[in-house]
């Protein structure tokens, strides 16, 4: 007997939106979640496969005392230098794409796959890879408050990151659905909205409509 209709869903949202919480809720509903940010971190952690190329491209000073990428130093560099960002992406994105494809292939037959992609809108390539795009959205004041609370960043740093990301309007324009997670949204309310959307999507989409999987280098 075949399993339930499977979906490929792209999940995104700005920093502090609550996207990771929705990803955990979807995993609880049976989705196979592929976290592309976690893949990126694994590639740049101590012993990560991307480190030799990054050291060659940016210098040994970008590798910290533990042998991992100095993420803060790299963040400061790419914010200040667009060409550095392009060089970083040219190294990481193909590697992330390969690992993303491998991770997605671990899903069970008939299991829906959720690709948790922070920069889905910015990449411009994911729309062709998934059947649905889900955006978790909140107002900027909520983003700032959440990130400052969890990361102990100054407000200016949080706003710099927000400015580097796609706008709320751009993300919403790409979305098949938007879950609002503002400051007054409760966890129970967020869960209810997520469960209802997931059920609705699976009630209306069959396996035959799954898109073809393209070159993994285009997935980031």
């Amino acid at each position: 007997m075949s399993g339930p209709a499977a979906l490929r869903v792209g999940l995104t949202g700005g920093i502090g939106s609550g996207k990771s919480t929705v990803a955990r809720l979807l995993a609880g509903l049976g989705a196979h979640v592929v976290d592309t940010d976690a893949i990126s971190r694994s590639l740049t952690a101590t012993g990560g496969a991307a480190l030799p190329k990054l050291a060659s491209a940016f210098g040994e000073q970008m590798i910290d005392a533990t042998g991992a990428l100095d993420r803060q130093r790299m963040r400061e560099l790419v914010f200040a230098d667009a060409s550095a960002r392009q060089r970083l992406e040219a190294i990481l994105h193909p590697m992330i794409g390969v690992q993303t494809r491998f991770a997605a292939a671990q899903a069970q037959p008939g299991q829906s796959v959720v690709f948790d992609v922070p920069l889905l809108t910015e990449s411009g390539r994911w729309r062709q890879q998934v059947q649905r795009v889900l955006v978790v959205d909140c107002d900027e004041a909520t983003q700032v408050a959440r990130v400052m609370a969890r990361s102990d960043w100054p407000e200016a740093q949080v706003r710099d990151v927000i400015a580097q990301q796609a706008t709320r309007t751009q993300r919403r324009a790409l979305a098949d659905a938007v879950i609002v997670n503002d400051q007054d949204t409760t966890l129970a309310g967020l869960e209810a909205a997520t469960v209802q959307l997931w059920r609705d999507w699976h009630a209306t989409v069959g396996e035959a409509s799954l898109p073809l999987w393209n070159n993994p280098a285009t997935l980031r």
Side-chain angles (χ1 to χ4, degrees):
M1 182 181 295
S2 64
L7 285 169
R8 287 198 182 106
V9 175
L11 170 67
T12 195
I15 187 171
S17 65
K19 172 183 60 63
S20 296
T21 301
V22 171
R24 288 192 293 270
L25 291 171
L26 293 174
L29 291 169
H32 178 70
V33 177
V34 177
D35 185 340
T36 63
D37 197 42
I39 290 171
S40 176
R41 290 194 300 272
S42 72
L43 290 169
T44 59
T46 304
L51 291 173
K53 290 184 177 180
L54 293 172
S56 176
F58 295 98
E60 293 291 340
Q61 72 275 8
M62 283 296 177
I63 309 301
D64 67 19
T66 70
L69 177 68
D70 188 328
R71 295 176 69 87
Q72 179 61 32
R73 180 174 287 186
M74 181 62 76
R75 185 182 297 113
E76 292 170 356
L77 176 63
V78 299
F79 278 175
D81 183 350
S83 66
R85 178 185 294 275
Q86 291 169 355
R87 286 186 287 137
L88 177 66
E89 292 175 347
I91 293 169
L92 287 181
H93 287 188
M95 301 177 78
I96 293 169
V98 170
Q99 292 299 315
T100 296
R101 183 175 186 179
F102 175 80
Q106 308 311 304
Q108 297 299 309
Q111 185 179 20
S112 293
V113 180
V114 172
F115 299 94
D116 182 346
V117 188
L119 302 182
L120 183 149
T121 306
E122 292 84 339
S123 79
R125 301 186 180 101
W126 273 95
R127 176 71 273 185
Q128 291 74 41
Q129 304 296 333
V130 296
Q131 293 167 282
R132 298 286 186 272
V133 171
L134 171 57
V135 169
V136 184
D137 187 48
C138 67
D139 60 68
E140 186 169 317
T142 299
Q143 288 181 270
V144 172
R146 285 176 179 158
V147 178
M148 288 178 66
R150 78 183 187 202
S151 301
D152 199 29
W153 287 2
E155 181 177 345
Q157 183 175 355
V158 181
R159 292 193 183 277
D160 282 345
V161 172
I162 292 173
Q164 292 285 330
Q165 295 184 337
T167 66
R168 295 175 66 197
T169 299
Q170 289 169 329
R171 279 191 293 269
R172 281 174 168 266
L174 194 67
D176 293 294
V178 176
I179 291 179
V180 176
N181 186 32
D182 281 330
Q183 192 67 40
D184 58 353
T185 303
T186 65
L187 180 58
L190 184 65
E191 181 174 9
T194 303
V195 168
Q196 187 61 58
L197 177 67
W198 199 241
R199 288 175 177 169
D200 289 347
W201 276 359
H202 281 81
T204 57
V205 178
E207 294 180 23
S209 62
L210 283 172
L212 295 175
W213 189 274
N214 293 338
N215 188 322
T218 70
L219 290 179
R220 182 66 172 168

